[in-house]
Amino acid sequence: MKMKKKADKSKMYPMWDNCLYAFRHLKQKEGAAALAVCGGDVGFSVLLPFLETALAGAVAAILVSGRQPGEILLLVSGYVALLQTVRFLQGYLKNKQSKTLFMLRIDMMMDYFGKTVWMDGQSLESARGQKKWQDARRNLCWGNSLGIEAYAKAWCDMLLQVTGLILCGAIVGQVSLLLLVILILQTLLVSWLHAKAGKQAYSKEDEIEKKWDTFQYLRRETVAPGNGKDIRMYRMDKWFLWLFRQLIDGTCALIDRQQTGYMAAGMAENLLTFARSVAVYGWLIREMAAGNMTLPSFLFYVGIVAGFSGWMNGIFQAWQQILENEKAMDAYRDFMDFGVVEEGKQAPERPGCAHEIRFEHVCFRYDGSNGPDGEDTIRDLNLTIRPGERLALVGLNGAGKTTLIKLLCGLYRPTSGAVYLDGKNIQSLDQRAVFREFAVVFQDVFAFSFPLSDNVSCVDSGREDPVRLWESLEKAGLWERVCALPKQAQTAMNKELDEDGVILSGGEMQKLMLARALYKGAPVVILDEPTAALDPIAESEMYEKYDELIQGGTAVFISHRLSSTRFCDRILFLEKGRITEEGTHEELMRRGGAYAELFALQAKYYREKSAWNIKGEQYA
């Protein structure tokens, strides 16, 4: 499928393809009956106005037919009953259609969030991925007037209006081809005017969207608690208000320019409609005066001609809705096609066992870093982690430790080179299966606002293994604290969703994350500085506790505090994405390189800080 490219490399899909996409998903998500509901709504919505238009002529024909009053009443009552039945069915199907399209949006929202939580982290975390994710939300989360729901409804309305217009044209054409030509010419001319206005309005959408995004950014920054002191100290209030006014005025000016085009098209349409009405009604009156047309027929055709404008206006409105939602559809599909994880690959050969992990000439560069080699975060790295080994990755902040870990467990893909798991390129393995082999505790430890048991087991409530849960909490040193909670392991974390929820201390959060890693029971455990908020002694004790509990598996400990990982079998010192030193703590200290120098500097710093605290100076 050929697609145009925009400056930000997001895709633009053909309109017909977006239409097929919407209704294909409608059938997949809601079943073939959903298409029948939409088709039935179109059918009855077309039939109803024609029956209403014919009512006056039908009553007039019955009245002049010479029938008895009883017959007249019966026939009129039957016609009205038919009209009410069609109106009821049309209303029922309209409501059914609204619910069906709403459920389509909800189901596609589930696909969107499913993609969000399972797409590869490298793509989602990139600036491009974040923008695509944000843009795609407009297709689903801005109500039923924007996005897939409004888009599908607009196409149903378009089918309805076009069908009604064709039927009107066919009826008029039976009476006079001249009248039909007049109506068609007016329709084409008005369509061109509205299309031109719509194109002009659509061209302003990017500018309006950019101003709206800036407005939302300012709104968030204005109320952010951390910004309050700076805004007040530096008297930024006037500056912020001036920016708000500039954005509001600029957005209103763009919207006015959009509306000006529509108003001009509307005025031209009214003039053309007036001229058309004079010509058409003049012809109908002449035919009736000449005896070529009966009163019932005259009333019927007057209604048909009047309805012609309604169908035509309906087409313009539906077309405008389609154009307004086309961009949201493009953004949604672009995100759903972005960062796709391939399924159906082979699983690791020895699941649940200690693995050998090997890096061969691995380089990694973050999305948007298009400069020279100096911008690589990981640079030509070679490393073999042996099964069951205790490995430490140490170095200053920004050395590339966290990036290396994300490459190791398959969250990131190397820019060049390869990572192997037991001799298999990790990119050739099923990602879900690879993730099962790793338990990682990252730097930013936090608990979701769900029951504690859910946070540890990471499975649906009630499906956790109670014995395994208890063992994990006990080994992590958290069981007594859990037993003291109001609902024990079912106590909610935090207070966002439950005012009776509990907020754990920093040390307790560390234990909770340890319990989660133990519950998973993965053969490779990685600790990415989760104890950075603790003091050096507490961090060292926590790492040693982790080491005691991880028996038979491979462990990777990361820290910028060199004293915390002295117990490891091997220590790697990273600088600017490269391994510059390697060995045990004793070997590296004897070597007297950067590791030894930094260790001595940190030891001196902590000794001096401790002395200052004892004296009560500077740290009181």
Side-chain angles (χ1 to χ4, degrees):
M1 178 170 55
K2 186 177 181 181
M3 299 173 186
K4 298 175 283 184
K5 296 285 184 178
K6 295 195 296 184
D8 63 355
K9 298 183 180 179
S10 60
K11 296 177 183 176
M12 295 181 64
Y13 298 80
M15 184 179 292
W16 61 266
D17 194 48
N18 277 338
C19 177
L20 291 176
Y21 182 89
F23 285 96
R24 184 166 59 246
H25 278 71
L26 178 63
K27 181 180 178 182
Q28 291 174 353
K29 301 295 184 182
E30 310 305 322
L35 296 179
V37 167
C38 292
D41 172 62
V42 169
F44 281 102
S45 295
V46 170
L47 179 61
L48 181 60
F50 281 98
L51 289 176
E52 291 174 337
T53 298
L55 176 60
V59 171
I62 293 172
L63 290 174
V64 299
S65 64
R67 298 176 183 270
Q68 295 296 319
E71 286 185 280
I72 293 175
L73 179 62
L74 183 62
L75 289 172
V76 172
S77 298
Y79 192 97
V80 172
L82 173 63
L83 183 62
Q84 292 300 324
T85 300
V86 172
R87 183 176 286 124
F88 169 79
L89 291 174
Q90 187 265 349
Y92 171 78
L93 289 171
K94 182 69 70 179
N95 290 332
K96 191 79 172 174
Q97 182 206 60
S98 297
K99 181 180 179 181
T100 298
L101 296 182
F102 172 75
M103 290 308 301
L104 169 67
R105 177 161 66 94
I106 296 301
D107 287 336
M108 293 187 72
M109 192 181 296
M110 292 299 296
D111 289 347
Y112 168 77
F113 287 122
K115 172 67 180 290
T116 300
V117 298
W118 186 239
M119 71 181 292
D120 63 294
Q122 180 178 346
S123 298
L124 183 62
E125 292 175 13
S126 67
R128 194 158 58 107
Q130 285 293 299
K131 185 179 187 308
K132 290 178 183 293
W133 181 85
Q134 187 69 35
D135 290 344
R137 288 183 69 236
R138 294 185 175 91
N139 191 53
L140 304 165
C141 303
W142 283 27
N144 57 9
S145 60
L146 179 66
I148 181 66
E149 186 176 351
Y151 188 75
K153 185 179 184 303
W155 276 110
C156 290
D157 288 344
M158 177 62 77
L159 178 60
L160 163 64
Q161 306 300 332
V162 169
T163 303
L165 190 68
I166 291 173
L167 289 176
C168 271
I171 293 171
V172 172
Q174 289 182 346
V175 179
S176 170
L177 290 178
L178 178 60
L179 288 184
L180 180 60
V181 169
I182 292 174
L183 293 175
I184 290 176
L185 287 176
Q186 189 231 4
T187 299
L188 292 177
L189 186 55
V190 172
S191 298
W192 177 78
L193 291 171
H194 278 274
K196 187 176 180 180
K199 185 178 181 181
Q200 179 183 351
Y202 193 67
S203 68
K204 305 298 178 187
E205 285 297 322
D206 287 340
E207 293 182 67
I208 293 174
E209 183 180 332
K210 186 176 181 179
K211 289 185 179 296
W212 175 249
D213 288 342
T214 306
F215 181 87
Q216 291 294 340
Y217 167 77
L218 287 175
R219 181 186 62 79
R220 291 193 301 269
E221 293 303 307
T222 302
V223 299
N227 297 342
K229 56 184 182 298
D230 293 279
I231 291 174
R232 285 154 182 79
M233 182 63 66
Y234 291 97
R235 298 300 306 273
M236 296 181 185
D237 51 334
K238 294 182 179 179
W239 177 52
F240 267 91
L241 290 173
W242 177 80
L243 289 173
F244 275 122
R245 175 52 59 189
Q246 291 292 107
L247 286 168
I248 291 171
D249 289 346
T251 303
C252 289
L254 289 170
I255 294 175
D256 285 343
R257 290 169 66 181
Q258 285 184 318
Q259 295 304 317
T260 299
Y262 287 125
M263 288 177 60
M267 292 176 61
E269 179 188 352
N270 290 334
L271 291 173
L272 290 170
T273 300
F274 175 76
R276 182 212 66 190
S277 298
V278 170
V280 172
Y281 293 144
W283 185 89
L284 289 174
I285 292 171
R286 189 193 70 179
E287 289 295 298
M288 184 176 176
N292 298 328
M293 184 176 294
T294 64
L295 176 62
S297 297
F298 175 81
L299 294 173
F300 176 71
Y301 286 114
V302 166
I304 289 295
V305 171
F308 199 91
S309 296
W311 296 115
M312 185 173 59
N313 288 332
I315 290 175
F316 299 146
Q317 292 173 7
W319 181 251
Q320 185 176 345
Q321 279 289 306
I322 290 170
L323 288 179
E324 288 177 356
N325 290 284
E326 190 72 18
K327 188 173 182 180
M329 288 293 296
D330 285 343
Y332 174 81
R333 294 185 64 185
D334 185 32
F335 172 73
M336 296 301 289
D337 290 343
F338 178 69
V340 177
V341 176
E342 295 182 28
E343 301 287 352
K345 296 181 178 179
Q346 59 181 334
E349 291 184 348
R350 299 186 303 113
C353 299
H355 301 286
E356 179 191 79
I357 304 166
R358 189 172 77 256
F359 287 70
E360 286 191 0
H361 301 289
V362 170
C363 295
F364 180 81
R365 181 177 300 181
Y366 281 95
D367 186 34
S369 298
N370 297 318
D373 288 343
E375 294 192 11
D376 281 352
T377 303
I378 300 297
R379 311 179 190 182
D380 195 29
L381 189 140
N382 293 284
L383 168 65
T384 299
I385 302 175
R386 297 180 290 272
E389 184 177 18
R390 298 296 191 265
L391 182 74
L393 296 176
V394 299
L396 296 175
N397 289 335
K401 303 185 296 294
T402 297
T403 302
L404 180 59
I405 288 307
K406 291 180 178 180
L407 288 164
L408 187 153
C409 60
L411 284 171
Y412 284 3
R413 300 177 300 277
T415 304
S416 62
V419 180
Y420 295 91
L421 186 69
D422 295 330
K424 298 287 187 181
N425 189 324
I426 202 168
Q427 298 302 313
S428 70
L429 302 176
D430 182 81
Q431 193 177 69
R432 290 180 183 269
V434 170
F435 286 167
R436 284 195 288 269
E437 304 303 302
F438 293 89
V440 187
V441 181
F442 290 106
Q443 295 178 18
D444 301 323
V445 294
F446 67 95
F448 294 103
S449 297
F450 299 120
L452 183 144
S453 60
D454 293 4
N455 275 278
V456 174
S457 65
C458 301
V459 298
D460 299 342
S461 294
R463 296 185 60 188
E464 69 274 1
D465 183 336
V467 175
R468 192 172 175 182
L469 177 66
W470 173 79
E471 290 178 348
S472 300
L473 292 169
E474 186 177 44
K475 288 179 180 179
L478 199 60
W479 180 246
E480 292 184 4
R481 176 73 169 98
V482 173
C483 289
L485 296 175
K487 298 180 183 178
Q488 298 188 349
Q490 297 305 313
T491 302
M493 296 290 94
N494 309 320
K495 295 182 180 294
E496 285 87 347
L497 303 179
D498 188 343
E499 61 182 13
D500 295 326
V502 64
I503 300 176
L504 299 180
S505 67
E508 290 169 341
M509 281 299 303
Q510 304 296 339
K511 294 177 181 179
L512 183 69
M513 296 301 101
L514 173 57
R516 177 187 288 175
L518 293 172
Y519 186 94
K520 185 175 184 181
V524 182
V525 177
I526 302 170
L527 306 181
D528 182 13
E529 296 193 83
T531 57
L534 304 180
D535 62 72
I537 295 176
E539 180 183 80
S540 181
E541 291 176 350
M542 181 66 73
Y543 272 31
E544 290 176 6
K545 182 176 181 63
Y546 273 97
D547 183 48
E548 291 175 8
L549 295 173
I550 304 169
Q551 299 296 327
T554 304
V556 180
F557 299 89
I558 303 175
S559 180
H560 66 277
R561 294 167 176 163
L562 309 190
S563 61
S564 299
T565 55
R566 295 177 58 177
F567 63 89
C568 290
D569 302 325
R570 188 164 45 125
I571 299 173
L572 307 179
F573 188 77
L574 269 69
E575 290 183 286
K576 296 182 179 179
R578 289 192 175 96
I579 299 173
T580 56
E581 296 183 36
E582 178 180 349
T584 64
H585 171 74
E586 291 74 15
E587 291 171 346
L588 294 176
M589 291 300 293
R590 285 196 299 270
R591 192 173 301 166
Y595 176 90
E597 182 180 347
L598 184 58
F599 185 88
L601 183 63
Q602 289 184 353
K604 178 183 178 182
Y605 168 75
Y606 293 131
R607 284 196 300 270
E608 290 177 352
K609 184 176 180 181
S610 177
W612 289 339
N613 283 328
I614 292 172
K615 292 178 182 179
E617 298 173 1
Q618 299 188 28
Y619 292 89

